[in-house]
Structure formats: C-alpha cells, structure tokens
Amino acid sequence: MPPSAPHHKAAAPHATVLVPSYRRPDSLLRCLEAVLAGSRLPEQIVVVLRDTDAGSRAALDAWLDGSSHAELIDVATVAAPGQAAATNAGLAVARGDVICFIDDDTAPTREWLERLLAHYADPAVVGVG
C-alpha cells in the first residue's frame, strides 16, 4: 500500500470586511474599533460612504488620522442610494479571498472574524453566514 500524501493545511484566506455606512458616524467608528480589536485582523476594511454624507466622511477622516490601522482602510464612495449600490461599490475595491459583510451599527465580538474564517479550512465551504 503506497504511503498517503502529506496533508497540507490551506493558507488562511485574506479577508476584506465591507462596512457600508450612511449618516451614522458614531456607529461606524464603534464598528471599526470592534473589528480592529478582534483576535484576527482583516487584511482590508472597505468603508462605503454616500457622496452626500459629509458628516460620516469627516468623522472617518479624523479617526483615520489617529488610527494605527489606517493602512487597512479603503474608502469607496457611492452616489446612488441603497444597499445594492453600496455593496457593489465596496466589492469593486475589495481585494480579499473572503468578503465579510457587516452593518455599521454592529460591534462584532472579539472572535467574530477568526471564527468565521475557520470554516474556510474546509475546501468544500464557499460561504458562511
């Protein structure tokens, strides 16, 4: 009987967290802080803002000036209203193997991303909810 092939662990997927936000700057910043306090940082965070939401943009810019993780954040701007337009704008700049959608008014638990990505160790998994 021939020896079995060595089992190679798949590399952890690169994760993009996509956060659409509209007129909730305090919620957005709380969400970003929670994502960045996680046990597993994403490789990229895409914040999607409406072009008319100057308040959220100003709050995000001020927060980025003081953040040690600013290099992880990309901002996509969208002119059209609605979740579909925001999602599509965010997907256009997302670079991750796995795209993780989160609402701006949530604060994920410390293990959220780590636990979510663990499912992708199984090559049969194509989506996790």
Side-chain angles (χ1 to χ4, degrees):
M1 176 182 244
S4 61
H7 178 67
H8 296 286
K9 186 176 179 184
H14 284 227
T16 294
V17 173
L18 197 152
V19 187
S21 187
Y22 183 59
R23 293 187 176 171
R24 295 193 287 209
D26 293 339
S27 294
L28 171 61
L29 300 183
R30 190 172 31 258
C31 176
L32 292 175
E33 290 288 347
V35 169
L36 293 170
S39 58
R40 163 64 157 86
L41 290 180
E43 281 70 29
Q44 178 190 32
I45 299 172
V46 176
V47 175
V48 183
L49 298 174
R50 288 273 296 277
D51 59 352
T52 58
D53 189 0
S56 293
R57 184 59 198 233
L60 178 62
D61 287 344
W63 182 85
L64 287 171
D65 284 341
S67 174
S68 61
H69 296 292
E71 74 282 353
L72 297 179
I73 313 287
D74 289 308
V75 179
T77 304
V78 64
Q83 186 68 32
T87 297
N88 288 336
L91 289 172
V93 298
R95 297 184 306 270
D97 302 317
V98 175
I99 311 301
C100 307
F101 299 90
I102 192 165
D103 290 333
D104 64 349
D105 63 345
T106 64
T109 64
R110 180 169 161 70
E111 300 83 18
W112 169 72
L113 188 57
E114 182 179 0
R115 292 173 65 196
L116 186 145
L117 293 176
H119 294 280
Y120 290 95
D122 179 347
V125 171
V126 296
V128 176

